[in-house]
C-alpha cells in the first residue's frame, strides 16, 4: 500500500465526532460480559463503498456516515448517508460533489461538516433538509517543480466550536502541517495556523472552555494551539511514537491518545521525516495535557485508532483496526470492561449517549471482495 493511503482511515485510511449523556448508572464494574453476550449486542449492516467517519444526531435521531465511494473505475458515488439509528437502514442519500472522509456535527445548527480530503475543502450538509448547502475551499492548488498544479496539504480531522462559530481542520504536509480556522457563519477561512510539525498530524481535539485545540503528529508530539491567540502555545514530546486520535477529558487534565505501533507507519516515518519509531505501540497513552507527562499506558488489541470518551459513564472506547475489535475500558481504572468483534477494520466511533449505543464504521480488508460495500455496526452497550 502506498504510504499516502495509510492516512485514509478515520478520515483518511490511517493504518493511513460526542456529547455528554445522562449520569452513569455504573457505580462499579461488574464481571465482564461473555463473548456470546458481546456478540449479541452487535448489529451490523453493509452500507456503501468507502465508508469513513460517522456522527450520531440526537436532534435528528439519525446516524450520518460519509462515503467517499472508493477509488478507481468501480468507485461508487460520493455521498453522506442518513441511517435509522435502530435498524441502520438508509433513510436518505445526500449527494456530494467531492469525496467525503472526516465529519463533525453541529447538531444545534443542523450542520454536518464533511472533510473533502483529496480536494482540501469542506462540504457543509444541512442535516434537517438532507442536502449539501456549500463548500469551503481551504487552500488553492500550487504549481510544483514538475509543472503540475496540486494541493500541498490534505485533510484528516475536524472539530467544531458551534457557540463561537468556528470550525478547525488539520491540514497535513510533511513540509509543515497546519490548522485551518473557518468562520461557520460566513463559510470563509479566516486563518491558517502553521507549526503543527513537519509531519502528518493525525489527532485533533477541542477544549472550547479552555480555548485550546490539541493536535498530535508523527514526530511523537502533542501540539497545542490557542483559539484566542491563533498560534502554537505548547509543544510536548510524548511517549506515543505513532499518536493517532485524541480524546479529551472535559473535567480534568487528561488526554487519551491511541498509539498504533504499525510497521507500515514506522517505515513511512523513517522515509518522510527521518523519525525513528521503535515503541511497539498497541496502546492508549494517557497524558497530562498541561505538561505532556505520561499518566498511564493502556494495552489494546492490534492497531488502535479511533477513540471516544463517555465521561459520565466512565467509559473509554477504542477501535482496534488490525485486531478487528472495539474495546471498552473503565476510564478511571483503565481496566478493560468488554470487547466487541467487528471485523475487518473498525474505524471511527459515534455515541448515542442517551440510549448508551455505540456506532462504528467498519472498513474492508484485502481479503474482502473488491468493490464490496463497507459496514456500520451498532453496539448496544
Amino acid at each position: 500500500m502506498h504510504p499516502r493511503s495509510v492516512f485514509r482511515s478515520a478520515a483518511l485510511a490511517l493504518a493511513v465526532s460526542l456529547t455528554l449523556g445522562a449520569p452513569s448508572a455504573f457505580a462499579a464494574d461488574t464481571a465482564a460480559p461473555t463473548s456470546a453476550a458481546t456478540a449479541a449486542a452487535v448489529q451490523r449492516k453493509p452500507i456503501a463503498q468507502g465508508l469513513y467517519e460517522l456522527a450520531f444526531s440526537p436532534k435528528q435521531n439519525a446516524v450520518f456516515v460519509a462515503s467517499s465511494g472508493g477509488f478507481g473505475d468501480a468507485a461508487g458515488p460520493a455521498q453522506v448517508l442518513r441511517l435509522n439509528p435502530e435498524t441502520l437502514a438508509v433513510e436518505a442519500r445526500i449527494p456530494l460533489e467531492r469525496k467525503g472522509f472526516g465529519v463533525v456535527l453541529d447538531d444545534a445548527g443542523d450542520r454536518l461538516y464533511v472533510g473533502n480530503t483529496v480536494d482540501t475543502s469542506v462540504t457543509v450538509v444541512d442535516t434537517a433538509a438532507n442536502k449539501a448547502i456549500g463548500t469551503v475551499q481551504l487552500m488553492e492548488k500550487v504549481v510544483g517543480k514538475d509543472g503540475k498544479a496540486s494541493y500541498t496539504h490534505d485533510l484528516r480531522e475536524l472539530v467544531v466550536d458551534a457557540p463561537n462559530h468556528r470550525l478547525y481542520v488539520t491540514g497535513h504536509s510533511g513540509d509543515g502541517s497546519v490548522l485551518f480556522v473557518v468562520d461557520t457563519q460566513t463559510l470563509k477561512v479566516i486563518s491558517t495556523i502553521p507549526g503543527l510539525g513537519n509531519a502528518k498530524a493525525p489527532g485533533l481535539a477541542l477544549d472550547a472552555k479552555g480555548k485550546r485545540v490539541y493536535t498530535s503528529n508523527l514526530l511523537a508530539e502533542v501540539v497545542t494551539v490557542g483559539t484566542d491567540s491563533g498560534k502554537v502555545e505548547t509543544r510536548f514530546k510524548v511517549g506515543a511514537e505513532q499518536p493517532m486520535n485524541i480524546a479529551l477529558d472535559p473535567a480534568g487534565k487528561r488526554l487519551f491518545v491511541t498509539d498504533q505501533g504499525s510497521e507500515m507507519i514506522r517505515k513511512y516515518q523513517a522515509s518522510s521525516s527521518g523519525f525513528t519509531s521503535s515503541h511497539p505501540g498497541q496502546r492508549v497513552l494517557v497524558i497530562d495535557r498541561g505538561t505532556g507527562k505520561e499518566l498511564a499506558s493502556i494495552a489494546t488489541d492490534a492497531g488502535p485508532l479511533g477513540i471516544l470518551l463517555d465521561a459520565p459513564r466512565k467509559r473509554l472506547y477504542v477501535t482496534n483496526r488490525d485486531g478487528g475489535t472495539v474495546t471498552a475500558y473503565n476510564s478511571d481504572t483503565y481496566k478493560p470492561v468488554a470487547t466487541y468483534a467487528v471485523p475487518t477494520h473498525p474505524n471511527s466511533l459515534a455515541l448515542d449517549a442517551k440510549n448508551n449505543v455505540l456506532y462504528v464504521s467498519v472498513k474492508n480488508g484485502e481479503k474482502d471482495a473488491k468493490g464490496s460495500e463497507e459496514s456500520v455496526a451498532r453496539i448496544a452497550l
Side-chain angles (χ1 to χ4, degrees):
M1 184 182 296
H2 189 278
R4 176 160 178 163
S5 69
V6 172
F7 290 85
R8 283 196 182 95
S9 243
L12 297 167
L14 188 50
V16 169
S17 240
L18 310 154
T19 57
L20 302 182
S24 172
F26 305 130
D29 290 325
T30 57
T34 65
S35 58
T38 56
V42 178
Q43 176 185 351
R44 180 167 169 170
K45 190 176 181 66
I47 302 297
Q49 294 184 65
L51 295 187
Y52 287 91
E53 290 192 338
L54 72 177
F56 173 74
S57 165
K59 185 177 180 181
Q60 300 295 330
N61 191 33
V63 178
F64 294 92
V65 59
S67 166
S68 71
F71 295 88
D73 295 338
Q79 58 187 324
V80 168
L81 298 117
R82 178 180 177 136
L83 310 181
N84 182 290
E86 294 188 3
T87 67
L88 301 180
V90 176
E91 295 182 332
R93 297 178 182 272
I94 305 170
L96 302 178
E97 293 183 356
R98 304 177 178 188
K99 292 182 180 296
F101 297 88
V103 304
V104 68
L105 177 70
D106 170 9
D107 207 22
D110 296 328
R111 283 186 171 183
L112 183 76
Y113 297 95
V114 183
N116 311 127
T117 295
V118 297
D119 294 295
T120 315
S121 64
V122 174
T123 297
V124 185
V125 171
D126 184 323
T127 55
N130 293 322
K131 66 179 182 180
I133 58 173
T135 301
V136 185
Q137 188 64 53
L138 300 177
M139 64 168 37
E140 300 299 328
K141 291 181 178 180
V142 297
V143 178
K145 295 180 180 179
D146 58 1
K148 297 180 180 179
S150 63
Y151 296 108
T152 57
H153 292 65
D154 55 31
L155 309 181
R156 191 168 189 270
E157 293 294 273
L158 309 87
V159 293
V160 65
D161 183 357
N164 291 307
H165 312 296
R166 292 293 181 267
L167 175 72
Y168 300 94
V169 188
T170 47
H172 289 268
S173 171
D175 294 326
S177 290
V178 300
L179 186 68
F180 298 109
V181 185
V182 176
D183 185 317
T184 57
Q185 292 181 304
T186 63
L187 298 183
K188 301 293 184 182
V189 178
I190 58 174
S191 182
T192 300
I193 302 171
L196 302 192
N198 291 345
K200 297 284 187 178
L204 182 64
L206 171 70
D207 176 9
K209 184 178 180 181
K211 299 182 179 180
R212 295 288 185 274
V213 172
Y214 295 88
T215 69
S216 63
N217 67 35
L218 291 184
L219 298 174
E221 293 180 326
V222 169
V223 180
T224 307
V225 175
T227 57
D228 276 356
S229 68
K231 64 182 182 180
V232 170
E233 298 195 343
T234 61
R235 182 186 304 272
F236 299 119
K237 279 286 186 181
V238 295
E241 293 177 353
Q242 295 181 11
M244 296 293 143
N245 287 8
I246 302 173
L248 181 148
D249 180 358
K253 296 182 178 180
R254 296 179 298 173
L255 281 181
F256 299 87
V257 186
T258 49
D259 184 9
Q260 194 160 82
S262 161
E263 184 60 28
M264 184 183 298
I265 295 176
R266 191 167 288 119
K267 291 177 180 177
Y268 173 82
Q269 288 171 299
S271 65
S272 64
S273 63
F275 179 81
T276 300
S277 170
S278 58
H279 194 283
Q282 299 191 20
R283 62 174 178 163
V284 171
L285 190 68
V286 187
I287 66 172
D288 184 308
R289 54 182 156 129
T291 65
K293 179 182 177 181
E294 181 175 332
L295 303 176
S297 177
I298 309 170
T300 67
D301 284 350
L305 181 63
I307 189 165
L308 186 153
L309 176 66
D310 181 359
R313 291 188 175 91
K314 301 184 186 299
R315 288 293 179 266
L316 182 73
Y317 300 101
V318 177
T319 62
N320 303 295
R321 176 180 167 83
D322 297 332
T325 59
V326 172
T327 304
Y329 299 89
N330 181 303
S331 61
D332 281 354
T333 67
Y334 308 135
K335 293 181 178 180
V337 175
T339 297
Y340 304 90
V342 281
T344 298
H345 297 308
N347 188 40
S348 65
L349 299 163
L351 180 69
D352 174 355
K354 179 180 178 180
N355 295 305
N356 201 23
V357 173
L358 193 67
Y359 296 94
V360 189
S361 59
V362 186
K363 304 289 296 174
N364 289 344
E366 292 181 357
K367 295 182 180 179
D368 294 300
K370 187 175 181 179
S372 60
E373 293 182 334
E374 295 182 328
S375 303
V376 170
R378 180 187 190 274
I379 303 175
L381 300 167

